[in-house]
Amino acid sequence: MDFELSDDQMALQEGVRNFCEGRVPMQVIRVLADGGALDRDLWRELADMGVFSLRLPEADGGVGLGWADAVLVFEELGRALVPGPLVWTHLAAGLVPGAASGETVVGGIERDDPSRLVEHLGSLDVVLIVDAEGVWQVDAGALASREIAHPLDPLTPVRELTEPLPQGDRLAGPDTAAQLREQGAALVAGLLLGVAEAATDLAVTYARERVQFDKPIGAFQAVKHLLADMFTRVEVARGAVYAAGVTLDDPAVGSVERAVAAAKLTAAEAAIGNGKSCIQVHGGMGYTWEVDAHLYFKRAYALEPAFGGIDACADTMADLLAST
């Protein structure tokens, strides 16, 4: 399996990265974290870039690219900590009118999710409900909920449902629901890979700049080991995430279920592990609000449960290995 990026994929990756660096630098992310609500202007700009219509056929107004390209785009969005229900709205393109163009903001939840938490609910137009019978659509404004005052990730506001979910309008059957779970897990893995990369970059930059005993702290063996482990986790996750994208595009190359579970598992472990190490490299400053390290750590934890957490992915991998 060839994981070398094509010239077009490198151009796509560079384009999204340049957009994020120019439109949502960390100063803007900090402002968005204080505001809480979704930035609709930013949402429309993401739509104009094709983030939500990336995989739709060109005949339907999309870009006509594949999953291998989509995980690259989401890797860059994760690296920049771009907030919002990116994955659900991307998955809803083609199912919910206006999702691809950014006019309709879509979130989602599993019907049997015991947490009953919906991210960004206050900013959503539509909520997708996924269950064993298929995919259902409900008006976000019709859901009774209460705000969680202090969400883990300041860029991911959360509301708890206070009444049972309505049945909703049926959009698709159980096969599509199963596909959405796998596709969503692959995209979240892309976001987590980007978070892991950004945390590594932040730690390396600080280790080069911070001087102790007349040497950059990156020269000390204990810090070197931390940074080397961070780099290793990123590269392992990168291979798994890119493999998941390629396998979704062409299931003949391997098991989609195994590829997606491996991607989500390794990317989540990389993002959480690197978030912790980034804070550790910064020492006492790493725990403060002023240093960005905590934002990567919190985003990693907020993304980890989405579309199957680390434990669920590990169980899937174990079951698949036992069955071979």
Side-chain angles (χ1 to χ4, degrees), residues 233-287:
R233 283 192 287 263
V234 166
E235 294 310 310
V236 170
R238 187 191 312 282
V241 171
Y242 289 4
V246 170
T247 309
L248 280 166
D249 281 331
D250 183 6
V253 302
S255 164
V256 171
E257 185 179 18
R258 183 175 62 191
V260 169
K264 182 71 192 304
L265 175 62
T266 54
E269 288 186 338
I272 292 173
N274 287 12
K276 291 178 180 177
S277 294
C278 185
I279 291 173
Q280 189 173 356
V281 168
H282 281 77
M285 284 294 293
Y287 293 90

Side-chain angles (χ1 to χ4, degrees), residues 14 35 53 69 74 122 133 165 185-187 189 200 226 246 250 278 303 305 309 322:
E14 182 181 359
S53 61
D69 308 298
F74 276 71
E133 303 300 322
L165 284 167
L187 295 179
T200 304
L226 284 173
V246 170
D250 183 6
C278 185
L303 287 171

